Amino acid sequence: MPPSPPRTPLLPRPTKARFKAGQFTLDSDTRLRVTPGAEPAAQLLRTLLAPATGLPLPPAADGQVVLALDTALTGLGGEGYGLTIGPRSVLLRARTVTGLLRGVQTVRQLLPVQALSASPRHGVPWTLPCADITDVPRLPWRGAMLDVARHFQPLSYLLRYVDLLALHKINVFHLHLTDDQGWRMPVAAYPKLTEIGGHRSRSMTGPTGDRYDGTPHGGAYTRAELVRLVDHAAARGITVMPEIEMPGHARAAVAAYPHLGNRPERTLDVWTRWGVCDTTLGVHEEVFDFCRTVLEEVMDVFPSPYLHIGGDECPTTEWERSPAARARAREAGLPGPAALHGWFLGRVGTFLTRQGRRPVGWAETGTELPEDFTVMAWRDPAHALEAARRGHDVINSHHRATYLDYPRSAGPDEPPGQPGGVVGLRDVHGHDPVPGAASPEAAARVLGTQAHLWTEYAATPARIEYLTYPRLCALADRSWSGPTTWTDFSSRLAGHTARLDALEVSRHP
Ligand code: ACM
């Protein structure tokens, strides 16, 4: 019998896969042999397969499916795995638990697509094609950002969002928790951040003009919910990186605590407009006390080594007009109030570094962030290269290739999205996170890439998924598998969409 290809090709594409004749069938007699330390992978496999298959997959010393953690394995790095499927046994091996978790997602993709269903599917033989797979990601940072500040989403949706990331071997969930239009994380010492800052009276209905929907919008997570999210993601090998925006995009915080702003006598609303807001945090000592207290709570909840503190789109007009801010710039020996931006981020970044965390910031130019920052380059591909040359670690996420809030086409049927651009599936697939002009040293500084979904125009889970899929599949493929041809990617995607449909993803057609 000739080797049978898998029924739907894998996405992302594994480094090496050889399919062979024959298959292994999971049934009610299948047992798992789990080596010490590999239990989280067994748990994830059971959790993922139970709803559709009902298979108990109990442990047994002579189990046919072996999940083996072997710290002596070489060549697989921190996330790679090897998977051997024969007619009588399955062996999943990795050097790390994370590698095993990635392999579990591959097993899941190799099963009939009904295995992804949320409800019981009877009468389906749960077969895996015989295969030898060795799979190691090309890049260590494969992220997705969701903005829950512009439109709040309940925890239940974030858990599903993480599940979908895990299927695609995305490993960083960047959670944009605060912005001008809403503050979503509770901080015990500053309860008004969510009580006041978590609610706005209405929202603009378009990108410009003065039209509003008249509907209040609000929401905030509890600390317990955020802890649950972190645990849920960790069980899938995903790090949740929180973002607390400063010193701009902070209007909700200033609305809650006017003394944090540049004009303490002024009471502002949580912003109801979209765009770049002039309101920024002040630069007096109480503001740094505030930032430290907030970030201490953030560090308590989020074990992520990386913490994002924003830094983008920060107008300096309020500082220029404020005698206190101008005096602060002079005292700090800065050339002027505009330099307070880098100075501010540097102070907060140093605080995080001393706590053993790594600050991440948005790059506005590629050269303005303090040394110890990991740079998220979004405006211009040249910024990613400049930052890498300066010695920053870089996440290269050029907006023209990774911002999923832009519509996928300019066609008349496309629902309105972020104005000013189109990001097609081919644009995402064509984005090489490692700039072609990078020297080997600079290329080594590029950790990876990320998709971003700002939610001014994406209020519901259905809209979020429509914008995210299948474009995120392209980013996942590119960052895990490296360059693949369009023909190869699009033919695998055609099969993969059956998985998205089984998961009831409301994807772009
Ligand atoms: C950004 O899009 N303002 C980072």
Side-chain angles (χ1 to χ4, degrees), residues 249 312-313 362 364 378 403 454:
H249 285 288
D312 59 315
E313 298 178 325
W362 297 106
E364 298 292 281
W378 68 282
Y403 272 33
W454 304 103

Side-chain angles (χ1 to χ4, degrees), residues 36 82 85 106 159 175 218 247 264 266 310 334 338 362 367 392 444 475 507:
I85 302 166
T106 300
L159 301 181
L175 187 59
R266 173 186 63 176
L334 300 172
W362 297 106
T367 57
H392 290 286
L475 184 127
R507 64 183 171 85

Side-chain angles (χ1 to χ4, degrees), residues 81-339:
Y81 64 92
L83 177 63
T84 305
I85 302 166
R88 278 177 296 280
S89 65
V90 173
L91 171 62
L92 173 61
R93 298 193 304 162
R95 193 174 67 76
T96 64
V97 174
T98 306
L100 293 174
L101 299 177
R102 303 288 175 253
V104 164
Q105 296 293 344
T106 300
V107 169
R108 192 179 176 214
Q109 289 200 8
L110 288 170
L111 285 165
V113 71
Q114 294 91 327
L116 294 153
S117 168
S119 51
R121 292 307 181 100
H122 303 289
V124 182
W126 301 115
T127 57
L128 292 167
C130 289
D132 273 320
I133 294 174
T134 306
D135 200 9
V136 182
R138 177 188 184 212
L139 294 168
W141 187 301
R142 306 173 307 280
M145 185 281 285
L146 183 64
D147 163 14
V148 292
R150 271 53 175 267
H151 280 106
F152 177 74
Q153 300 301 333
L155 176 73
S156 57
Y157 184 64
L158 298 191
L159 301 181
R160 172 180 165 86
Y161 185 87
V162 163
D163 289 343
L164 292 172
L165 298 186
L167 175 71
H168 295 89
K169 300 185 171 72
I170 294 287
N171 64 353
V172 179
F173 176 25
H174 171 175
L175 187 59
H176 184 80
L177 280 164
T178 71
D179 215 303
D180 299 312
Q181 298 86 354
W183 184 290
R184 309 289 174 218
M185 166 156 177
V187 177
Y190 293 94
K192 290 185 200 165
L193 285 173
T194 48
E195 287 167 12
I196 293 175
H199 302 272
R200 63 176 181 267
S201 59
R202 57 182 186 169
S203 307
M204 239 165 107
T205 52
T208 54
D210 249 330
R211 285 199 310 274
Y212 296 87
D213 62 5
T215 313
H217 179 82
Y221 303 103
T222 64
R223 187 180 157 116
E225 284 179 321
L226 293 173
V227 168
R228 181 147 172 238
L229 174 67
V230 166
D231 292 346
H232 184 86
R236 285 147 187 79
I238 294 176
T239 300
V240 184
M241 176 180 69
E243 180 183 356
I244 305 292
E245 276 265 21
M246 60 186 75
H249 285 288
R251 166 86 165 229
V254 178
Y257 292 100
H259 78 276
L260 297 174
N262 291 291
R263 289 169 52 197
E265 78 291 354
R266 173 186 63 176
T267 306
L268 293 169
D269 59 351
V270 176
W271 218 32
T272 58
R273 301 187 60 77
W274 310 132
V276 177
C277 181
D278 274 349
T279 311
T280 61
L281 294 172
V283 289
H284 41 297
E285 257 345 271
E286 283 131 297
V287 173
F288 292 97
D289 290 342
F290 166 79
C291 293
R292 282 189 290 265
T293 303
V294 167
L295 291 172
E296 273 164 3
E297 183 125 4
V298 167
M299 286 186 278
D300 259 4
V301 171
F302 296 96
S304 166
Y306 293 91
L307 298 182
H308 203 309
I309 56 169
D312 59 315
E313 298 178 325
C314 180
T316 53
T317 37
E318 286 199 348
W319 295 336
E320 273 147 29
R321 286 189 195 135
S322 152
R326 288 200 305 269
R328 193 76 164 151
R330 272 196 308 277
E331 282 155 32
L334 300 172

Side-chain angles (χ1 to χ4, degrees), residues 479-494:
S479 54
W480 178 283
S481 315
T484 55
T485 63
W486 172 252
T487 312
D488 168 48
F489 168 70
S490 53
S491 73
R492 279 182 295 116
L493 180 62

